[in-house]
Amino acid sequence: MDPSAEVVVELPIFRIYKDLHVERLSGTETVPAGADAKTGVVSKDVVIDGDAGVYVRLYLPVPDTPATTWATDGGPTKLRVLVFFHGGGFITESAASPVYHSYLNSLAAAARVLVVSVNYRLAPEHPFSVGYDDSLRSLRWALSGGEGDPWLSRHGDLRRVFLAGDSAGGNIVHNVAMMAAAAAAEEGSDGVAAAARIEGAVLLHSAFAGTEPVAGEAAEVAALMDTVWRVICPESAAGVDDPRMNPLAAAAPSLRELPFERLLVVEADGDFFRGRGRAYYEGVVASGWGGKVEWFESVGKEHVFFLLDPGCPEALALMDRLVAFFAGN
């Protein structure tokens, strides 16, 4: 059979063919930024690099009461900042995808956070080292106050910055955090906000893999991730034991280096990544990391269900947990 016609991986969001070209089946639709009537959150796009197509979508919740005015000098009404990385298998979706736009409007409103949703470049057009670099660059931009962007500089509390992402985005959270820690150590006080301003992180159903099976991981999932990784990061000699895909690999930096104070690892018992998520959580616990790590699991649900059915009881319970986590509870 012609390699360009033989499908080797088929998921609801994309197909990968034997010659490793990709057909996107979803995640290409976009919606504009603007005011959301349901939540009252307003959003806008800010271009970081027009030539590369890297931008962020900012979400700003309205003040608590009509009489409240926004602080402009670090006052009590400043908002915690959440830098968010979307999922989509590193291959599809965007910061403007309807499912993420809707979810982040709701999250910004419920948690009272200023969200910076990152539109990084996708594989296979760009080997995914590029996506990690785009994501770190966007984090730097946010930590700098958006280079003077009025929403971030006036309304964002840059002393309280969080990272979060789902699926591939959860993988990016881990990798960007480790990149930020390494850069801060190398660059000293001029590094990525000295990493100290990254207060916490949330990994939602994160996409990790490895050649050695972990408890609860199906063999077919491991094989699928091997194929996907060869598409998104073809230059990786280590395959899925590349530390960027397997943070528990022998060559991976120690999880003790995670550059924040609190970590929430979120899973669902029906998620095909659940075994890897649990192994990551246990790896952080065993590493001797000095922060606080928590586990939250949804019962009877599958991968990223909270995006697809945000009104179900389990998604509402997860939203409540996220709100509490960002509030410091």
Side-chain angles (χ1 to χ4, degrees):
M1 179 181 290
D2 181 354
S4 66
E6 184 177 351
V7 176
V8 293
V9 170
E10 182 156 10
L11 297 173
I13 56 176
F14 56 73
R15 294 190 187 103
I16 300 175
Y17 291 81
K18 190 173 183 180
D19 66 356
L20 301 186
H21 86 272
V22 168
E23 178 184 5
R24 293 181 176 93
L25 304 177
S26 69
T28 58
E29 183 182 355
T30 62
V31 293
D36 182 61
K38 181 178 179 181
T39 62
V41 172
V42 291
S43 58
K44 69 175 182 178
D45 294 337
V46 181
V47 175
I48 294 177
D49 186 334
D51 292 337
V54 179
Y55 70 88
V56 294
R57 178 164 291 187
L58 304 184
Y59 294 83
L60 182 65
V62 297
D64 291 317
T65 67
T68 301
T69 58
W70 289 116
T72 60
D73 56 359
T77 61
K78 282 217 169 187
L79 302 169
R80 296 176 298 276
V81 176
L82 171 62
V83 181
F84 187 90
F85 307 100
H86 69 80
F90 309 93
I91 287 172
T92 190
E93 301 290 355
S94 73
S97 294
V99 66
Y100 287 103
H101 185 69
S102 177
Y103 191 76
L104 292 177
N105 272 314
S106 296
L107 181 58
R112 310 293 306 162
V113 292
L114 195 166
V115 179
V116 180
S117 180
V118 177
N119 195 71
Y120 52 85
R121 284 173 284 183
L122 300 174
E125 292 84 356
H126 306 280
F128 208 72
S129 55
V130 171
Y132 291 125
D133 291 340
D134 290 344
S135 298
L136 179 61
R137 181 179 180 184
S138 299
L139 173 60
R140 286 181 181 269
W141 180 90
L143 290 170
S144 75
E147 299 177 351
D149 176 83
W151 286 15
L152 269 172
S153 61
R154 294 177 186 173
H155 308 313
D157 185 349
L158 299 178
R159 300 163 300 179
R160 302 199 65 188
V161 175
F162 294 82
L163 308 179
D166 71 292
S167 195
N171 173 293
I172 294 171
V173 167
H174 167 78
N175 281 289
V176 165
M178 298 304 281
M179 293 165 72
E186 180 177 336
E187 301 168 16
S189 61
D190 294 327
V192 185
R197 285 191 283 174
I198 306 176
E199 180 174 331
V202 181
L203 275 64
L204 296 153
H205 302 191
S206 299
F208 294 126
T211 55
E212 290 295 321
V214 298
E217 181 181 46
E220 57 268 26
V221 173
L224 179 150
M225 290 307 297
D226 180 72
T227 301
V228 171
W229 185 246
R230 286 189 288 118
V231 170
I232 65 177
C233 200
E235 77 273 17
S236 175
V240 288
D241 282 329
D242 184 308
R244 293 169 292 185
M245 181 53 69
N246 183 3
L248 303 179
S254 172
L255 294 172
R256 290 193 303 272
E257 304 304 316
L258 288 168
F260 35 74
E261 302 166 4
R262 298 188 288 122
L263 171 65
L264 177 62
V265 181
V266 175
E267 264 302 341
D269 64 355
D271 180 13
F272 42 79
F273 287 129
R274 193 265 180 198
R276 288 283 165 184
R278 185 67 191 184
Y280 181 89
Y281 166 80
E282 292 174 353
V284 174
V285 172
S287 74
W289 179 57
K292 179 182 179 183
V293 57
E294 302 175 66
W295 173 261
F296 184 92
E297 185 167 355
S298 303
V299 177
K301 291 297 179 178
E302 298 181 344
H303 190 59
V304 298
F305 72 92
F306 52 89
L307 294 176
L308 307 176
D309 188 11
C312 73
E314 293 81 5
L316 296 176
L318 173 56
M319 180 66 79
D320 288 343
R321 184 67 197 92
L322 294 177
V323 170
F325 181 82
F326 296 134
N329 300 326

